[in-house]
Amino acid sequence: MVRAAVIAAALALPLPAMAAPATTATPPRRVVSVNLCTDQIAMALAAPGQLVSVSHLAREPQSSAMVAEAQHFPINHGRAEEVYLLAPDLVLAGGYGGASVALLHRLGVRVIEVPPPNSLQDARDAIAQVGAALGREPEAAAMLADFDARMAALALPTGGDRPLAATWGANGYSSGGATLAGDVLRAAGFSLLADRLGMQGSGYITLESLVMADPALIVTGTPYPGASRAEEIVTHPALSSLSGRIVHVPDPLWTCPTPQLLDALALLATEARIAAGHPAGDTP
Amino acid sequence: MSRAPLLLSLAALVAVLALASLLIGPAGAGPVASLKALWGGEGPLGIVLREIRAPRAVLAVMLGVSLGLSGAALQGYLRNPLAEPGLIGISAAAALGAVIAIQAGVSTLGLGVPAAGLAGALGGVGLILLLAGRGGSGLGLILGGIAVSALAGALTALVLNLSPNPFAAYDIMFWTMGSLADRSWAHVLTALPLMGLGWAVLLRAGRDLDALSLGEEAAASMGVDLGALRLKIVLGAAAAVGAATAVAGAVGFVGLVVPHLLRGAVGAMPSRLLPAAALGGAALVLTADIAVRLVMPERDLKLGVMMALVGAPVFLHLIWRTQVGK
């Protein structure tokens, strides 16, 4: 998928910037992204030379699914001063730009804010939004078509028994229904412990509540380097005494609208089949 | 009250509180079902009782014994009612040792972290003995304690802020206030060897402390080796508090409040106070740990909050009394 976008970008290379057919306005020539998710969408969609900087998070293996690609771009830390000095004609920001984004607005820089995705639909919308902002609608459409093809190939369950699942992180943090991770789990065929407990967004679940719910699947993330007591709860021995399975899904896979999001979905769809009693590989 | 009935009733109190600790938690199961699940119950409730609540109750007892015993022994040795592991900085120094070890990559489930807690505590005790001295003024002890606590607390925060782990900085609350939430049997086994060593050393110092309460010369004339006694108190308190802090964080005021409450019942003899303070400490920590779960079952309210609510008034009362006594 990344490769497809890169090839698409390479094919578009000889065309002058003004020739993008679907846009009326001239596409931006110097784009700076200051948000992890817009970083990754822009790296997948932008024309060569169009993207001049991505945020430092794009190079963090703990957060980013595109660390290798991010090596090709200078990084920024989202501060208004450094971004302004890059002389961008478009800044891509997340929904929580705060003071820096407000300042860039005041300085007359064009800023497009792409809200962080809280569902698979949001993820699609973000890809389309960034594609339009970059004047790269065909590339965005190709990325979305690839998304759809891969989702269709997963033959995701639509109804039936939905085994219980929960994500489980430091201090007992668990993704709620209105989050991208929650939506991916639901799409894979699970019901969410956070939904059952009446949580809207993400929140904290006590270890006892998690054990009592005895979910069919517990999804843990990547521990950070160094150590913390907050993360010790993730490996509490009580969890391995439970009957359900524990799988590890690295956070970068399902934080942002990247092609890797579908890898996370595929992995969890396999788990849903196992939890429902169909071994992996069976057609449900 | 004579000695045996007091110890027996304290032991009974600890047993009742430990049982209550087993029966209270967010899972919200009834007491009968919980007790059935504790013995061989299959399924989630059995796991909650055996793997989450039982180690928590056991660790509360161990923490209380360590802190109560250390407080009573330090007060007997320094002959100062204000000597207490939390107030004079031993707990904070132990936390610093444990934090440095954990951030250096030592596994939290081996003996390394409690040993580092012991090393930190030794540093703290050493500084206090240097600054305040035996039989010195309460003022010197408290000022020394403030200095050691502030330094150790600041260095702990520094180490945790420098960690590459973003959650480490959130742990500052745990290391300065203490908590028993979500500990496991692994933590119990990790802390037990050093704690047990500390308890044994401190309990055996009782007779020498009795002699010391008559004055240094009298004690020496009765054959007490003061140098050996100091070593016992320092090592015993450092081992018990160091290991306790390594798994539960720094919990203050237990060693201050418990001897203060029990001294009336057992009289002035340190050898009598020591076992009573051990059981009393266990009862106090169990009570506080039950209280944090009753007040905020869904949150990890820190033990230190409860202890300070009880301990600070006692502390102020003691200060006031020492001032009046002058």
Side-chain angles (χ1 to χ4, degrees):
Chain A
M1 178 64 217
V2 176
R3 198 176 303 140
V6 171
I7 292 168
L11 289 175
L13 183 61
L15 297 174
M18 50 161 281
T23 39
T24 46
T26 322
R29 289 156 181 265
R30 290 186 62 80
V31 179
V32 172
S33 168
V34 296
N35 169 268
L36 176 66
C37 286
T38 56
D39 289 342
Q40 298 183 78
I41 304 173
M43 283 191 282
L45 296 181
Q50 188 182 23
L51 184 61
V52 294
S53 174
V54 294
S55 80
H56 66 108
L57 286 176
R59 284 191 190 173
E60 298 272 340
Q62 200 72 40
S63 322
S64 170
M66 297 175 75
V67 175
E69 290 87 339
Q71 304 301 325
H72 304 302
F73 298 92
I75 56 169
N76 67 73
H77 297 81
R79 289 187 288 261
E81 185 177 315
E82 61 174 329
V83 172
Y84 186 73
L85 289 176
L86 289 167
D89 54 2
L90 174 66
V91 171
L92 295 171
Y96 306 114
S100 313
V101 165
L103 185 56
L104 287 169
H105 272 300
R106 272 211 302 285
L107 291 171
V109 178
R110 185 169 163 238
V111 181
I112 290 187
E113 294 183 57
V114 182
N118 285 326
S119 65
L120 285 165
Q121 185 55 47
D122 283 359
R124 300 180 54 95
D125 293 348
I127 292 170
Q129 190 185 358
V130 172
L134 294 174
R136 305 279 288 175
E137 283 91 347
E139 288 74 12
M143 190 171 171
L144 288 174
D146 192 66
F147 240 77
D148 292 338
R150 287 182 66 191
M151 272 187 82
L154 287 175
L156 298 169
T158 45
D161 265 357
R162 292 188 153 261
L164 192 64
T167 68
W168 186 239
N171 284 325
Y173 190 76
S174 190
S175 303
T179 64
L180 184 57
D183 201 40
V184 168
L185 274 169
R186 267 195 306 241
F190 287 100
S191 61
L192 271 186
L193 178 58
D195 283 346
R196 185 191 278 189
L197 297 177
M199 290 159 52
Q200 292 297 315
S202 300
Y204 298 96
I205 295 178
T206 63
L207 179 63
E208 279 195 19
S209 308
L210 181 76
V211 170
M212 288 304 283
D214 199 8
L217 183 72
I218 296 172
V219 186
T220 62
T222 322
Y224 281 84
S228 72
R229 181 189 176 275
E231 288 171 319
E232 273 188 63
I233 193 173
V234 178
T235 51
H236 195 283
L239 297 181
S240 47
S241 307
L242 287 173
S243 55
R245 281 166 62 86
I246 301 175
V247 296
H248 167 79
V249 177
D251 297 344
L253 288 195
W254 54 348
T255 305
C256 286
T258 62
Q260 283 84 345
L261 189 55
L262 273 296
D263 295 344
L265 184 57
L267 190 155
L268 293 168
T270 308
E271 287 295 331
R273 267 180 227 119
I274 295 171
H278 304 287
D282 267 21
T283 32
Chain B
M1 197 189 286
S2 70
R3 189 180 173 186
L6 175 74
L7 287 185
L8 276 180
S9 44
L10 279 173
L13 178 65
V14 169
V16 169
L17 287 168
L19 189 66
S21 173
L22 279 175
L23 298 180
I24 292 168
V32 179
S34 296
L35 284 180
K36 272 186 188 160
L38 181 61
W39 269 276
E42 297 294 319
L45 190 58
I47 296 173
V48 165
L49 265 290
R50 286 193 302 271
E51 306 253 359
I52 300 175
R53 291 198 197 158
R56 182 172 190 159
V58 169
L59 213 50
V61 171
M62 287 162 57
L63 177 64
V65 167
S66 298
L67 295 174
L69 205 51
S70 303
L74 285 167
Q75 289 168 24
Y77 178 70
L78 293 167
R79 282 177 286 157
N80 189 322
L82 298 176
E84 192 263 332
L87 281 173
I88 64 177
I90 302 177
S91 297
L96 175 63
V99 162
I100 289 175
I102 290 172
Q103 292 303 325
V106 176
S107 161
T108 46
L109 300 180
L111 282 176
V113 174
L118 164 75
L122 274 180
V125 183
L127 267 176
I128 288 300
L129 289 186
L130 204 71
L131 289 168
R134 185 170 57 251
S137 71
L139 190 65
L141 190 69
I142 294 305
L143 287 181
I146 289 173
V148 173
S149 290
L151 183 65
L155 290 175
T156 301
L158 178 68
V159 171
L160 290 173
N161 274 309
L162 288 176
S163 166
N165 192 313
F167 295 109
Y170 291 103
D171 288 351
I172 293 173
M173 272 284 280
F174 165 75
W175 289 110
T176 50
M177 298 292 249
S179 165
L180 291 167
D182 304 324
R183 306 277 81 184
S184 66
W185 285 115
H187 294 101
V188 173
L189 293 178
T190 297
L192 195 55
L194 274 181
M195 270 193 196
L197 188 75
W199 303 342
V201 170
L202 291 178
L203 280 171
R204 287 164 63 97
R207 285 195 175 281
D208 288 356
L209 287 177
D210 286 351
L212 187 63
S213 66
L214 303 172
E216 281 184 31
E217 283 173 21
S221 72
M222 290 162 74
V224 174
D225 180 345
L226 288 173
L229 177 61
R230 176 165 64 200
L231 198 62
K232 272 190 210 166
I233 300 293
V234 166
L235 278 177
V241 175
T245 306
V247 293
V251 179
F253 291 115
V254 179
L256 179 85
V257 173
V258 170
H260 179 67
L261 290 178
L262 291 173
R263 207 166 270 127
V266 296
M269 291 302 238
S271 63
R272 290 179 159 210
L273 182 60
L274 285 174
L279 290 171
L284 184 62
V285 171
L286 277 168
T287 307
D289 190 43
I290 291 169
V292 297
R293 277 179 281 173
L294 287 176
V295 175
M296 279 189 177
E298 306 297 328
R299 304 280 190 85
D300 179 18
L301 180 62
K302 300 291 180 266
L303 271 182
V305 176
M306 283 293 159
M307 292 327 314
L309 287 177
V310 181
V314 173
F315 182 56
L316 291 174
H317 174 69
L318 278 172
I319 296 266
W320 179 72
R321 249 187 16 191
T322 43
Q323 291 301 315
V324 167
K326 268 185 184 170

